[in-house]
């Protein structure tokens, strides 16, 4: 009877332990990534009252089995369903991450590593990715500065929002392309000002600039030949930058058949002065622009003289129909009797001389007798199209890849040399409309340059890669979340706060970890793993545990009654 009492007590204790396990499971039904536990029973030792005997061949008596009386029950094992995946819960928080697979996140309190399936993370004040519950740092791998790739070495805290990561450095533009149709019937292309194409680019400090290129068609018989010239360079405020030091192309000539004459009967020359016909008002006096020997006055140290000189030249150009294109007007040339190319600037200088050395080369004052110019000088490159196909034939001296260079480096160390690809330009008929335009970067989008970028977002990929995006269009790899895999994950020891630690039976952590994709797993940002507790199973286990507890209590009651009857025999 004493054995049955102790067996009942052992049963009560063991069933109470099982109820404790069930209660803990139910209590954690909403705990993030909680893994439910289950308990198995194991019998205690048995008391042998008679050992087993073998058969006696001599007497013919058979053998007997041992007589054993069990002494109760004990908790055999408490197992954790650690490899059973919990359901996904969508949170919308990009730093909430769910692991699909058998791996674990690696977190650290600064002195030792722990492992968890709880992926509810946030970025702390120092920029570290950390657990929201404990503040432990999420561990991973950094980026090799040499290669830009992940370096899978000993795991370290992922500081994704360091000062260095908050901005993306600027870069100078090194490549550009000009593409589209340059229609020979486009009035802009055949005008004195030409067809303007704007190229926006960056210097090494991220400042933006606009380079203005013009395409002008020869008005001679070679309508497939164009000049490409750099006419202006503007900074981001619209201020013009001196481009006299910029290296682009060569001093080239373009054949023209351009009539040059007065715009109507409005003006006339009176010696060295340009006057209006009606009231004889002086519009321009050559003495304000030229020396007595016909050379231009040096006005580099006299702002007032420079202004007067420019106004004089502008007025003359406007009178000949070149308003706003003074430089274009002055570079027109005509060949004299000896075949020498004499520019309009030289002609005006000759007119300003006391004695005109080349009296046969003067600007006509009669609109009915226009002066035909043989050509024009320009700084830039010739762009020549094939008259049969309309495709490019030559850019400057380049007849293969159709590229040309603009060297802005003389303007300062922050500028660079830009290679411009014109291979996608065509000379097709587009009903008099040109579609030609310029874009920074080559045809593959490389070398575009960029301004300084501020971080505008962080995203985590399925493989744990963490990328930052910036408002200058760039992205940057910040690191990768490492994971740990164990040969026997059930052997991990619970440490509270959804954390586990490695044991001898789980297998050791090597300090490096594994890529989540190596075992076929992946991460799901914006989701958390729910508890894998099955309430229906837990309630069923609770019922059977309750009945087992009741049955064991009855054993104690009945055994006590038997002892009481034995005691009553003394009466």
């Amino acid at each position: 009877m004493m054995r049955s009492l102790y067996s009942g007590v052992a049963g009560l204790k063991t069933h109470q332990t099982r109820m404790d396990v069930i209660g803990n499971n139910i209590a954690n039904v909403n705990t993030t990534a909680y893994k439910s536990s289950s308990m198995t029973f194991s019998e205690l030792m048995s008391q042998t009252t008679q050992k087993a005997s073998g058969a006696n061949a001599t007497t013919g008596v058979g053998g007997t089995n041992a007589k054993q009386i069990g002494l109760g029950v004990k908790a055999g094992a408490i197992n954790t369903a650690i490899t059973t995946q919990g359901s996904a819960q969508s949170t919308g928080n990009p730093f909430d991450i769910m692991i699909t697979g058998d791996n674990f996140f690696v977190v650290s309190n600064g002195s030792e590593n722990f492992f968890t399936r709880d992926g509810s993370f946030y970025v702390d004040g120092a920029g570290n990715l950390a657990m929201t519950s404990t503040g432990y740092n999420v561990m991973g791998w950094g980026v090799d500065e040499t290669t830009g790739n992940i370096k899978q070495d000993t795991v370290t805290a992922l500081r994704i929002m360091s000062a260095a990561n908050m901005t993306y450095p600027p870069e100078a533009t090194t490549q550009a392309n000009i593409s589209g149709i340059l229609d020979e019937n486009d009035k802009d292309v055949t005008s004195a000002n030409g067809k303007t194409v704007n190229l926006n680019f960056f210097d090494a400090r991220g400042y933006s600039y606009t380079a203005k290129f013009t395409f002008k068609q020869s008005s001679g018989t070679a309508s497939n030949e164009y000049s490409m010239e750099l006419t202006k360079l503007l900074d981001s405020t619209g201020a013009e930058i001196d481009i006299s030091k910029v290296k682009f192309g060569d001093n080239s000539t373009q054949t023209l058949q351009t009539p040059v004459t007065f715009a109507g009967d409005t003006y006339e020359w009176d010696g060295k002065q340009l006057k209006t016909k009606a009231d004889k008002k002086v519009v321009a006096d050559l003495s304000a622009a030229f020396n007595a020997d016909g050379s231009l006055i040096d006005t580099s140290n006299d702002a007032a003289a420079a202004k007067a000189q420019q106004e004089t030249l502008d007025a003359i150009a406007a009178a000949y129909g070149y308003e706003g294109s003074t430089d274009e007007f002055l570079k027109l040339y005509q060949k004299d009797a000896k075949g020498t190319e004499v520019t309009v600037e030289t002609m005006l200088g000759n007119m300003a001389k006391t004695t005109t050395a080349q009296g046969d080369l003067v600007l006509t004052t009669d609109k009915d007798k226009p002066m035909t110019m043989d050509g024009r000088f320009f700084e830039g490159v010739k762009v020549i199209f094939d008259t049969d196909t309309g495709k490019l034939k030559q850019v400057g001296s380049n007849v293969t890849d159709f590229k040309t260079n603009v060297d802005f480096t003389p303007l300062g160390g922050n500028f660079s040399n830009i290679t411009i690809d014109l291979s996608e330009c065509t000379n097709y008929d587009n009903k008099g409309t040109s579609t030609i335009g310029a874009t920074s970067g080559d045809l593959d989008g490389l070398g575009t340059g960029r301004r300084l970028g501020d971080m505008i977002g962080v995203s985590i990929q399925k493989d744990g890669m963490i990328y930052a995006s910036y408002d200058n269009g760039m992205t940057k790899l910040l690191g990768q979340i490492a994971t740990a895999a164990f040969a026997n994950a059930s052997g991990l020891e619970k440490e509270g706060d959804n954390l586990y630690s490695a044991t001898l039976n789980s297998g050791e952590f090597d300090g490096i970890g594994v890529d989540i994709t190596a075992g076929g797993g992946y991460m799901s940002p914006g989701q958390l793993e729910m508890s894998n507790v099955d309430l229906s199973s837990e309630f069923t286990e609770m019922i059977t545990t309750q009945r087992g507890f009741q049955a064991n209590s009855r054993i104690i009651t009945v055994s006590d009654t038997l002892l009481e009857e034995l005691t009553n025999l003394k009466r």
Side-chain angles (χ1 to χ4, degrees):
M1 287 184 290
M2 295 301 294
R3 284 190 294 263
S4 63
L5 278 173
Y6 286 116
S7 293
V9 171
L12 289 177
K13 289 182 178 180
T14 306
H15 280 81
Q16 181 58 58
T17 301
R18 189 184 193 190
M19 185 61 72
D20 292 339
V21 172
I22 295 171
N24 185 60
N25 287 340
I26 295 175
N28 284 280
V29 69
N30 288 315
T31 300
T32 302
Y34 174 78
K35 301 301 181 182
S36 62
S37 299
S38 61
M39 177 177 160
T40 58
F41 291 82
S42 176
E43 63 174 350
L44 283 173
M45 67 174 66
S46 296
Q47 181 180 3
T48 303
T49 59
Q50 179 180 316
K51 288 189 174 293
S53 62
N56 191 324
T58 304
T59 63
V61 176
T64 59
N65 294 327
K67 297 178 181 178
Q68 293 181 298
I69 302 173
L71 299 179
V73 68
K74 65 179 179 178
I78 298 177
N79 299 312
T80 302
I82 203 163
T83 57
T84 303
Q85 185 82 36
S87 300
Q89 177 185 12
S90 242
T91 66
N93 182 351
F95 294 117
D96 284 343
I97 308 171
M98 170 181 164
I99 285 182
T100 297
D102 297 332
N103 294 24
F104 294 81
F105 296 110
V106 184
V107 297
S108 173
N109 62 1
S111 59
E112 58 182 323
N113 293 323
F114 295 94
F115 313 97
T116 183
R117 297 276 296 190
D118 181 358
S120 54
F121 302 143
Y122 80 113
V123 179
D124 66 12
N128 296 308
L129 190 63
M131 290 185 69
T132 55
S133 57
T134 62
Y136 288 4
N137 290 329
V138 179
M139 308 297 279
W141 304 300
V143 179
D144 190 323
E145 295 182 359
T146 304
T147 64
N149 298 323
I150 294 296
K151 184 179 181 180
Q152 292 189 1
D153 203 343
T154 302
V155 292
T156 57
L158 289 171
R159 192 179 183 190
I160 62 175
M161 288 192 178
S162 63
N165 290 336
M166 296 307 294
T167 58
Y168 201 99
E171 184 177 84
T173 301
T174 58
Q175 301 286 333
N177 71 88
I178 295 178
S179 60
I181 300 172
L182 194 62
D183 192 330
E184 66 181 41
N185 296 318
D186 188 337
K187 293 181 179 179
D188 286 336
V189 177
T190 58
S191 69
N193 292 327
K195 174 69 176 179
T196 300
V197 172
N198 291 340
L199 172 63
N200 299 315
F201 68 95
F202 296 94
D203 68 6
R205 294 189 296 166
Y207 288 103
S208 62
Y209 300 87
T210 300
K212 290 183 174 291
F213 295 91
T214 57
F215 288 84
K216 297 178 183 178
Q217 181 198 67
S218 167
S219 59
T221 56
S223 60
N224 64 320
E225 295 186 9
Y226 299 82
S227 67
M228 177 183 172
E229 306 164 53
L230 175 64
T231 54
K232 284 186 180 180
L233 179 62
L234 308 177
D235 65 16
S236 58
T237 66
E240 190 169 345
I241 299 173
D242 181 14
I243 58 174
S244 60
K245 295 181 180 179
V246 175
K247 299 175 183 178
F248 176 57
D250 300 312
N251 191 338
S252 303
T253 61
Q254 185 178 22
T255 303
L256 298 175
Q257 291 180 357
T258 305
V260 177
T261 186
F262 283 119
D265 294 325
T266 309
Y267 305 100
E268 65 179 5
W269 279 103
D270 183 5
K272 299 176 177 61
Q273 292 181 331
L274 180 65
K275 298 180 180 181
T276 59
K277 276 189 176 182
D279 53 10
K280 308 301 181 183
K281 180 180 178 181
V282 176
V283 176
D285 191 328
L286 292 178
S287 62
F290 295 91
N291 294 307
D293 62 358
S295 61
L296 278 173
I297 298 172
D298 183 5
T299 61
S300 56
N301 297 320
D302 190 338
K307 181 180 179 182
Q309 182 184 67
Q310 190 62 48
E311 289 176 349
T312 298
L313 297 175
D314 289 345
I316 297 172
Y320 283 91
Y322 278 79
E323 184 173 4
S325 303
T326 302
D327 289 342
E328 171 76 10
F329 175 67
L330 295 176
K331 290 178 180 178
L332 297 175
Y333 68 82
Q334 184 188 93
K335 293 181 180 179
D336 62 12
K338 297 178 181 180
T340 304
E341 297 166 341
V342 182
T343 64
V344 170
E345 182 181 314
T346 302
M347 295 180 193
L348 292 172
N350 288 337
M351 291 174 65
K353 290 181 181 180
T354 304
T355 302
T356 302
Q358 295 171 304
D360 58 325
L361 286 173
V362 293
L363 296 174
T364 180
T365 60
D366 189 343
K367 73 179 181 66
D368 296 323
K369 296 179 181 179
M371 191 174 194
T372 301
M373 307 308 291
D374 296 309
R376 56 185 287 267
F377 288 102
F378 69 91
E379 286 287 336
V381 296
K382 287 184 179 180
V383 178
I384 304 174
F385 292 92
D386 189 307
T387 55
D388 294 329
T389 65
K391 295 183 178 180
L392 265 180
K393 182 178 181 181
Q394 184 173 338
V395 176
S397 59
N398 191 334
V399 294
T400 53
D401 58 5
F402 307 125
K403 293 180 180 179
T404 185
N405 292 321
V406 186
D407 188 2
F408 291 104
T409 56
L411 298 178
N414 53 316
F415 285 91
S416 65
N417 180 72
I418 300 178
T419 300
I420 303 177
D421 185 350
L422 287 86
S423 60
E424 294 299 313
C425 291
T426 55
N427 192 214
Y428 298 147
D429 175 21
N430 195 40
K431 299 180 180 179
T433 301
S434 296
T435 61
I436 192 167
T439 307
S440 60
D442 63 14
L443 295 174
D444 294 323
L446 303 176
T448 57
R450 57 180 177 268
R451 62 179 176 82
L452 179 70
D454 292 322
M455 184 187 289
I456 56 175
V458 174
S459 62
I460 301 172
Q461 308 300 310
K462 288 188 174 183
D463 56 3
M465 298 278 193
I466 305 173
Y467 288 90
S469 55
Y470 301 85
D471 60 7
N472 61 355
M474 301 303 294
T475 58
K476 181 180 181 181
L477 178 60
L478 305 181
Q480 183 179 10
I481 299 174
T483 62
F486 296 93
N488 175 29
S490 296
L492 293 171
E493 185 175 327
K494 295 182 178 181
E495 298 289 349
D497 295 320
N498 293 344
L499 301 175
Y500 299 89
S501 61
T503 65
L504 293 176
N505 198 39
S506 66
E508 293 295 326
F509 175 61
D510 63 2
I512 297 176
V514 295
D515 189 314
I516 181 69
T517 60
Y522 59 90
M523 298 183 188
S524 301
Q527 295 181 334
L528 288 176
E529 183 180 1
M530 299 175 67
S531 170
N532 67 354
V533 172
D534 184 349
L535 280 178
S536 60
S537 296
E538 297 300 325
F539 284 135
T540 302
E541 293 291 328
M542 187 187 300
I543 292 172
T544 58
T545 302
Q546 179 185 12
R547 293 307 180 195
F549 188 92
Q550 288 176 334
N552 279 275
S553 66
R554 291 293 182 272
I555 291 174
I556 296 174
T557 302
V558 173
S559 296
D560 177 59
T561 301
L562 292 175
L563 286 172
E564 183 180 359
E565 290 296 329
L566 180 62
T567 304
N568 290 336
L569 290 176
K570 184 184 176 185
R571 294 179 183 178

